[in-house]
Amino acid sequence: MAKEVNKDLQRERAKCDFNVEELTNFLDWGVKYTKIRRNLEQKVFSVKGLLDDIPDEYRSHKEKYENAVRKGVRLYRILQSLDDQSRSDEENVRVNFRNIISTAVFKDNSPFVLHMSMFVPTIIGQGTEEQKAYWVKRAKNMEIIGTYAQTELGHGTFIRGLETQAVYDVGTEEFVLNSPALSSYKWWPGGLGHTANYCVVMARLYIKDKSYGIHPFLVQIRDEETHMPLPGIKLGEIGAKLGYNTVNNGFLGFENHRIPRDRMLMKNAQVLKDGTFVGGSNSKLTYGTMVFVRVLIVNNMANLLSKAVTIAVRYSAVRRQSQLKPNEPEPQILDFVTQQHKLLIAIATCHAFFINAMWLWEVYFGVTKQLAKGNLENLPELHALACCMKPLTTMDSMYLVEKCRLACGGHGYMLSSNLPQTYGLVTAASTYEGENTVLLLQAARSLVKAWRLLAKGQKLKGSMAYLADNTTLKTWDGSVSGIIKSFQVVAIRKLSGVVANLDELQNSGLSPEEAWNKASVYLTVVSEAHGRATLLSVYKSEMDKRISTMSPPLKAVMNQLLELYAVYWALERLGDLLLYTPISKKDVAVLQGRYIDILEKIRPNAVGLVDAFDFRDEILNSALGAYDGRAYERLMEEAMKSPLNAEPVNDTFHKYLKPFMRGKL
């Protein structure tokens, strides 16, 4: 088969009116980081044996895991040899902002993913200087492999409900770990099944029969030489799932398992030798790892969604179907406005998420520097932001990745398209690291508290400062700034309404907890409204800051994407706008017409926009989305890899079909 670039894709690239490389550099946080990322990809993908010849879908569950461990070991050693230890945390974020090499090696993620994303950060964030000096070095050298064990069979996001016990024995200066019931077994940690030999365990501390809350403990679960489970440890893998089947999620139970006193991570709270408990200055500091991971998720959703829309847009440029006019050739399906409606908002959403992720990382590093100096003032706002951003970005990504799959018709259902696997990865994010509804309710607590502070005359700052603006909109403003203002008004009105509802419920005799539960549906709606207003506001304000150095053609397309995103969400939330703003039927018609006009403006640059995401074919791992556009040839090549195509006649014909068809079965 000739391996030349599809002519339709060539034409699409020729009509792109902005510099694709300029946009790639922008998304990478600068030319420097594009070069680093590409250099890293080139070195990794030049290593033979790292990428699969046989697709993982033809392997058994056990074989998938074993192959993932083989590749994981090899990939980690390669990345370790290329790592620059002199980089700061901020530089590392920029280097890895769009580094998703691992998705080329593992369609379902690595069994080591929790080791670097949660095990090591937790020790860094919760350990003493002495603990960090010993354990972080061992972990980064992969002398030990760890995971993070918090979620239990019976409790997940509600951390205070965790049942695993760590009872301090003064006589031996040890903690005795127990799982008092089946519901207290740790359940879900990646790598826990058969990969990790250590884990950070979140457990309830007891000293002399008194509970001192939930704390982190560093626990060895397997022998370092034999890898056999240690005495008092019950563990295994939890089984097959929709996605993440190579992550090796596991379960863990304890039966009088003892660990030394110094295995409690004691940066924020300590247990002295005599059993004296020394509490930290703020219990919320123990949740630092979760905030870090939620910020990471926003970034990850942008990357996964940009993969999916790259595949779908390129395929839509190659695929020709139906007729717009009689006696004319079948058009590219990207020319259909319905297809543009499915896909172009996904491109705009990627940019909204990337911009918000850049901003959120800067907020995160600012707060962590303040925490190091003992200043906790902005930690609650960061927590509230993460609790809003994580649910919205995961929900939107889940919806839009599925839209990308549907945009590819039946071929998008093929595993060789890599769209089903990508959907499996994004949909999992709606429940891990804080179930979305619970996180929205946590954000609502911050919003209700902020509203009550406003009522007392206190000023708000940061992402909630707009709540103090009680201006009534007299006319509809359809500009991007006007739409953002309208979304803020919606959030303010919804918040004021739900606070009034809470007060009314409590005045009727309900306890605060009962009132909260009864109003909970509307509380999640308030958080969603605040999150939408924040996503839009940050997208515009940060783009305004960063767009000044762009060339005029790129500025134009960036502004089109911003406008598309704002108008799309205005139309999606018309009910709210009609209820809380002066928008009219005529204004809605104008918005609808404008939306179609923006789609038409962006359409010529669609392929250029996804090319700017700069994904190598190895990373896309898709028969439909390769750079050369040979979708049909690649689909056939992938089909021929099926073991069922290794022989012309399968054994089942002689065993079952032939006797069956001759009436002898």
Side-chain angles (χ1 to χ4, degrees):
M1 295 181 182
K3 294 190 176 182
E4 58 184 36
V5 177
N6 177 279
K7 289 182 172 55
D8 284 327
L9 266 184
Q10 287 179 323
R11 281 190 287 269
E12 290 293 330
R13 289 176 177 131
K15 66 185 178 187
C16 177
D17 65 10
F18 68 91
N19 186 324
V20 171
E21 182 70 7
E22 183 185 359
L23 179 52
T24 300
N25 296 155
F26 169 74
L27 291 169
D28 279 325
W29 237 317
V31 176
K32 169 185 173 182
Y33 296 105
T34 297
K35 288 180 179 177
I36 292 172
R37 176 179 57 78
R38 285 177 177 166
N39 183 51
L40 191 63
E41 289 171 356
Q42 183 60 37
K43 287 181 177 177
V44 169
F45 294 135
S46 65
V47 176
K48 292 182 179 180
L50 192 59
L51 303 179
D52 292 325
D53 293 324
I54 301 171
D56 241 11
E57 44 264 37
Y58 299 122
R59 291 188 171 94
S60 70
H61 183 70
K62 181 172 178 286
E63 289 168 339
K64 286 179 185 177
Y65 165 67
E66 291 167 350
N67 186 45
V69 172
R70 175 190 68 80
K71 293 187 293 183
V73 167
R74 197 159 188 183
L75 177 62
Y76 191 89
R77 290 303 182 203
I78 296 166
L79 294 176
Q80 193 179 42
S81 69
L82 299 172
D83 188 29
D84 184 350
Q85 297 289 336
S86 66
R87 293 193 194 112
S88 66
D89 289 341
E90 288 92 333
E91 284 180 309
N92 275 325
V93 163
R94 294 187 177 198
V95 167
N96 293 301
F97 191 64
R98 295 201 315 113
N99 170 15
I100 51 173
I101 287 173
S102 64
T103 65
V105 182
F106 317 95
K107 277 189 177 179
D108 249 0
N109 225 316
S110 164
F112 299 153
V113 66
L114 266 287
H115 177 78
M116 290 308 295
S117 67
M118 291 203 74
F119 180 69
V120 174
T122 302
I123 298 173
I124 292 171
Q126 311 296 335
T128 62
E129 292 303 317
E130 185 180 0
Q131 287 172 325
K132 287 190 286 185
Y134 179 74
W135 293 108
V136 173
K137 181 181 178 182
R138 293 199 73 199
K140 286 191 173 181
N141 289 337
M142 296 300 276
E143 295 168 24
I144 60 173
I145 298 173
T147 185
Y148 181 86
Q150 177 171 292
T151 299
E152 297 173 354
L153 260 174
H155 287 93
T157 310
F158 181 58
I159 300 170
R160 284 178 290 143
L162 297 179
E163 299 175 274
T164 302
Q165 299 175 354
V167 180
Y168 185 62
D169 184 336
V170 178
T172 62
E173 296 181 16
E174 293 174 314
F175 294 103
V176 184
L177 297 175
N178 272 293
S179 303
L182 181 62
S183 59
S184 62
Y185 269 54
K186 296 298 181 184
W187 191 273
W188 277 115
L192 181 60
H194 293 276
T195 312
N197 56 2
Y198 281 81
C199 63
V200 171
V201 175
M202 297 300 289
R204 185 174 301 280
L205 170 64
Y206 287 92
I207 305 172
K208 298 176 182 177
D209 297 324
K210 181 181 177 182
S211 172
Y212 287 86
I214 306 299
H215 297 276
F217 298 85
L218 187 58
V219 183
Q220 183 178 356
I221 54 175
R222 291 180 179 270
D223 184 273
E224 289 192 27
E225 287 297 323
T226 66
H227 209 56
M228 285 294 292
L230 297 180
I233 299 288
K234 300 176 183 178
L235 78 167
E237 198 223 26
I238 65 172
K241 308 166 294 291
L242 171 65
Y244 284 85
N245 284 298
T246 50
V247 169
N248 192 222
N249 302 89
F251 65 80
L252 170 65
F254 297 102
E255 186 176 341
N256 296 320
H257 180 71
R258 290 176 172 268
I259 60 172
R261 184 183 66 88
D262 65 4
R263 296 294 175 89
M264 176 181 174
L265 295 178
M266 296 193 188
K267 177 182 178 180
N268 300 312
Q270 300 176 19
V271 175
L272 304 182
K273 290 182 179 181
D274 64 0
T276 301
F277 177 77
V278 181
S281 59
N282 192 315
S283 62
K284 288 184 172 63
L285 289 171
T286 59
Y287 302 148
T289 304
M290 287 181 290
V291 173
F292 166 79
V293 175
R294 287 166 192 165
V295 174
L296 196 65
I297 288 170
V298 176
N299 191 169
N300 195 34
M301 290 303 103
N303 279 314
L304 289 172
L305 179 57
S306 55
K307 273 185 64 173
V309 76
T310 298
I311 293 166
V313 167
R314 284 180 179 168
Y315 176 70
S316 297
V318 168
R319 178 76 169 186
R320 288 179 171 271
Q321 189 165 299
S322 303
Q323 288 180 316
L324 283 173
K325 295 179 181 179
N327 303 318
E328 287 194 0
E330 292 179 278
Q332 297 162 276
I333 60 173
L334 194 51
D335 285 335
F336 290 101
V337 178
T338 50
Q339 192 78 346
Q340 296 164 25
H341 171 57
K342 290 175 188 174
L343 298 179
L344 300 190
I345 185 57
I347 297 176
T349 301
C350 291
H351 284 268
F353 288 0
F354 276 128
I355 292 292
N356 272 269
M358 288 175 176
W359 173 77
L360 201 53
W361 275 119
E362 289 171 353
V363 172
Y364 174 81
F365 283 116
V367 172
T368 52
K369 287 173 183 176
Q370 292 168 2
L371 291 176
K373 298 175 182 177
N375 180 0
L376 285 72
E377 183 182 359
N378 293 313
L379 181 60
E381 191 201 1
L382 174 62
H383 178 256
L385 277 169
C387 285
C388 263
M389 294 284 198
K390 186 266 185 184
L392 265 61
T393 54
T394 55
M395 288 189 294
D396 290 356
S397 295
M398 180 170 60
Y399 173 78
L400 289 169
V401 168
E402 176 65 354
K403 279 286 185 185
C404 289
R405 185 186 72 80
L406 293 171
C408 295
H411 294 334
Y413 196 65
M414 297 290 297
L415 293 184
S416 59
S417 75
N418 203 14
L419 290 168
Q421 297 94 320
T422 304
Y423 179 79
L425 295 178
V426 297
T427 193
S430 291
T431 48
Y432 67 61
E433 299 316 317
E435 193 276 332
N436 282 356
T437 301
V438 176
L439 289 189
L440 288 171
L441 287 170
Q442 286 184 18
R445 288 197 184 277
S446 297
L447 289 164
V448 170
K449 182 179 178 181
W451 190 259
R452 296 200 187 282
L453 289 175
L454 269 177
K456 294 177 181 177
Q458 294 191 34
K459 287 187 177 181
L460 300 179
K461 59 181 183 177
S463 61
M464 293 187 189
Y466 76 90
L467 295 174
D469 186 356
N470 213 14
T471 306
T472 300
L473 295 179
K474 294 181 180 179
T475 57
W476 168 253
D477 179 359
S479 68
V480 173
S481 295
I483 291 171
I484 292 168
K485 177 62 181 173
S486 295
F487 269 71
Q488 291 174 339
V489 167
V490 168
I492 291 167
R493 297 290 181 264
K494 287 188 174 185
L495 179 55
S496 65
V498 84
V499 172
N501 183 227
L502 283 170
D503 291 341
E504 186 179 320
L505 289 169
Q506 289 185 55
N507 291 336
S508 72
L510 294 183
S511 68
E513 294 78 14
E514 290 170 327
W516 186 267
N517 185 42
K518 199 155 189 174
S520 58
V521 170
Y522 305 107
L523 286 161
T524 61
V525 168
V526 166
S527 290
E528 197 262 355
H530 170 67
R532 293 285 170 214
T534 303
L535 276 168
L536 273 165
S537 176
V538 170
Y539 185 11
K540 184 179 189 308
S541 62
E542 290 298 303
M543 185 57 75
D544 287 347
K545 290 179 189 175
R546 300 165 194 266
I547 206 170
S548 60
T549 57
M550 292 181 183
S551 64
L554 184 55
K555 275 184 187 178
V557 76
M558 290 293 96
N559 280 323
Q560 288 164 3
L561 290 173
L562 173 60
E563 186 179 8
L564 179 70
Y565 189 74
V567 173
Y568 173 88
W569 277 107
L571 292 170
E572 283 290 298
R573 292 294 179 267
L574 267 183
D576 289 341
L577 296 178
L578 287 165
L579 196 59
Y580 298 111
T581 76
I583 193 171
S584 67
K585 182 179 178 180
K586 183 179 178 182
D587 296 324
V588 172
V590 170
L591 271 181
Q592 290 171 331
R594 187 166 145 213
Y595 178 72
I596 302 303
D597 288 343
I598 305 168
L599 292 178
E600 188 177 350
K601 289 176 183 175
I602 296 173
R603 161 65 186 91
N605 286 318
V607 170
L609 283 166
V610 297
D611 280 354
F613 292 134
D614 198 34
F615 291 124
R616 291 173 59 121
D617 286 348
E618 294 94 333
I619 288 174
L620 288 178
N621 213 347
S622 172
L624 302 185
Y627 188 84
D628 61 15
R630 295 172 57 251
Y632 302 140
E633 294 91 337
R634 289 177 186 274
L635 280 169
M636 183 58 76
E637 288 166 8
E638 290 301 310
M640 295 312 296
K641 292 177 183 178
S642 169
L644 286 173
N645 288 323
E647 51 189 9
V649 179
N650 186 261
D651 287 347
T652 55
F653 174 74
H654 297 290
K655 287 182 180 179
Y656 307 113
L657 295 177
K658 188 175 182 180
F660 175 63
M661 289 187 288
R662 296 191 176 183
K664 295 178 180 179
L665 190 65

